[in-house]
Amino acid sequence: MLILGIETSCDETSVAVVRDGVTVLSNVISSSRKTFEALAGVIPEQAARMQIECMIPVLERALSEARVTMKEIDAIAVTRGPGLLGSLLVGTVTARALAAIHRKPLIGVHHTLGHLSSPWLDGGLTLPPSPGRIPAFPVLTLSVSGGHSDLWLRTSHVTGELIGRTRDDAAGEAFDKGASMLALPYPGGPSIERAARTGNERAYDFPLPLHGEDTLDFSFSGLKTSLKYLLRDQPDAPVPDAAASFQYAICRHLVHRLQKAIHRHPGVQEVHIVGGVSANARLRQAASDTCAEISPATIVRVPATLAYCTDNAAMIASAGEFIARELGDGAYATFATAASLPLAASMPGLN
Ligand code: KG4
Ligand code: ZN
């Protein structure tokens, strides 16, 4: 199928055209992030106003870059939640109007299911390089973004079990809050990664969260507090060293959970890391080193480009294709746009 994807859950306006869930013909992303960089966060009303202005130009560019017309599109997939309500409404109202005018089926996609589908786009990036290998279930997916830190054991695109979740902040949120303490710009993940490049990650010791507990859950609030005390007690601590040590502590915690999950579920074929934090090179390296050591047959797959790690419409189009393949007509059920939306509420097989 040729699917038009639309994603507007936060500060980005993105439209993509994807063939068969995997081949990206276009993926246009317009972000108002620069506007919010100095404010350490997004102002929802302002983000939605900017999305209204750029929605149609982004749509037109996505179609022209893909060299297709609306007539050739088989279905429209749009993020129905969760996210900022005003922003989600810009995308879903546009999708509903396009579907009505051009008489196309419409698929409401949960934002997280989009991230879970992102390693299929353009074949993903395998660590170590495994040319020609295509993803096979069961897949262990570490989904880490600004809004969630989850560990999924997936048996298909739309079925699986949530085996670990965060008890407090999300991993991306920890990066964002840490960056703000270090006076580094928003979003925090990329700025901490940049600052960490010249730092010593062993300069400061951070605790391993939930150490000794028999759980696959995550917790980042202790790391955040440790960083706060470090900066209080050692105000002259070099920012690169503090950033590198903090980044290392987050990655160590995430990879520790992956390691435990692989031991518990030895049938896993691949480990996928998705969401904004999957862009982090230190995390990728730590995950692939660990897999190579404990289970060499299990490869790590991350999204093929950094644009597929953070929010984008290609992953929504891909998820739309997989939902249609696995659910048939059920994929086109009517849906409500919702700011808060548990994944199981829109995809009962994933809970
Ligand atoms: O998936 P995403 O674009 O949006 C949400 O759905 O939340 O993720 C954004 C999050 C932010 O918290 C950002 O700091 C983090 O992903 N992030 C990173 C990196 N790039 C983005 N975290 C660590 N390292 C990065 N390179
Ligand atoms: Zn996201």
Side-chain angles (χ1 to χ4, degrees):
M1 287 208 289
L2 198 58
I3 298 201
L4 181 83
I6 299 178
E7 152 69 37
T8 59
S9 66
C10 188
D11 58 1
E12 72 299 318
T13 306
S14 181
V15 180
V17 179
V18 177
R19 193 183 293 286
D20 300 333
V22 294
T23 308
V24 181
L25 303 188
S26 67
N27 183 42
V28 179
I29 306 169
S30 163
S31 173
S32 53
R33 188 147 284 181
K34 278 260 166 280
T35 314
F36 301 118
E37 236 163 40
L39 305 170
V42 175
I43 301 171
E45 163 113 14
Q46 205 177 329
R49 283 172 190 271
M50 293 168 90
Q51 284 163 320
I52 290 171
E53 282 172 30
C54 63
M55 187 75 237
I56 299 301
V58 168
L59 168 69
E60 285 174 343
R61 220 179 103 198
L63 289 169
S64 87
E65 278 185 17
R67 296 174 187 277
V68 299
T69 61
M70 276 308 295
K71 210 169 164 203
E72 293 161 80
I73 297 290
D74 294 306
I76 299 169
V78 62
T79 306
R80 56 173 291 211
L84 303 173
L85 188 61
S87 296
L88 289 165
L89 285 169
V90 176
T92 49
V93 166
T94 306
R96 289 178 204 279
L98 284 173
I101 294 165
H102 297 281
R103 297 184 188 283
K104 304 289 177 186
L106 181 62
I107 308 166
V109 176
H110 191 284
H111 180 77
T112 302
L113 191 61
H115 280 299
L116 297 188
S117 307
S118 60
W120 273 262
L121 296 169
D122 293 341
L125 179 72
T126 49
L127 309 167
S130 317
R133 176 162 163 166
I134 53 167
F137 291 102
V139 168
L140 181 66
T141 307
L142 174 66
S143 174
V144 270
S145 77
H148 52 266
S149 293
D150 294 330
L151 200 52
W152 290 92
L153 181 63
R154 300 164 66 212
T155 43
S156 82
H157 285 286
V158 301
T159 56
E161 193 191 338
L162 182 64
I163 56 174
R165 75 210 77 195
T166 184
R167 295 186 183 174
D168 38 61
D169 290 345
E173 216 176 339
F175 273 107
D176 294 338
K177 289 180 180 170
S180 144
M181 285 186 233
L182 291 163
L184 295 169
Y186 172 85
S191 37
I192 287 195
E193 183 167 19
R194 219 173 299 122
R197 276 189 205 128
T198 53
N200 172 11
E201 64 181 21
R202 306 293 169 130
Y204 304 106
D205 247 349
F206 284 85
L208 185 61
L210 306 178
H211 189 55
E213 278 194 42
D214 188 24
T215 177
L216 292 173
D217 285 351
F218 305 96
S219 169
F220 297 97
S221 59
L223 294 181
K224 210 176 56 189
T225 308
S226 300
L227 179 63
K228 189 170 137 193
Y229 289 148
L230 167 69
L231 299 175
R232 183 198 63 185
D233 300 339
Q234 300 184 50
D236 295 330
V239 170
D241 286 352
S245 303
F246 185 63
Q247 171 177 263
Y248 175 69
I250 294 176
C251 295
R252 188 166 74 127
H253 178 37
L254 293 173
V255 170
H256 207 247
R257 287 296 173 267
L258 280 180
Q259 190 171 355
K260 200 170 214 167
I262 293 169
H263 280 307
R264 275 196 200 173
H265 303 282
V268 161
Q269 298 287 314
E270 298 201 346
V271 168
H272 290 181
I273 311 178
V274 304
V277 181
S278 70
N280 190 277
R282 186 67 187 91
L283 175 61
R284 292 173 173 204
Q285 184 201 339
S288 76
D289 288 352
T290 299
C291 273
E293 193 183 316
I294 64 166
S295 178
T298 313
I299 61 148
V300 174
R301 193 183 296 264
V302 295
T305 68
L306 293 187
Y308 303 158
C309 294
T310 46
D311 293 344
N312 67 88
M315 68 183 193
I316 302 301
S318 173
E321 167 95 24
F322 297 136
I323 295 172
R325 271 192 219 166
E326 293 196 29
L327 298 187
D329 284 347
Y332 309 112
T334 55
F335 62 85
T337 306
S340 161
L341 184 69
L343 182 50
S346 71
M347 212 41 64
L350 280 166
N351 53 47

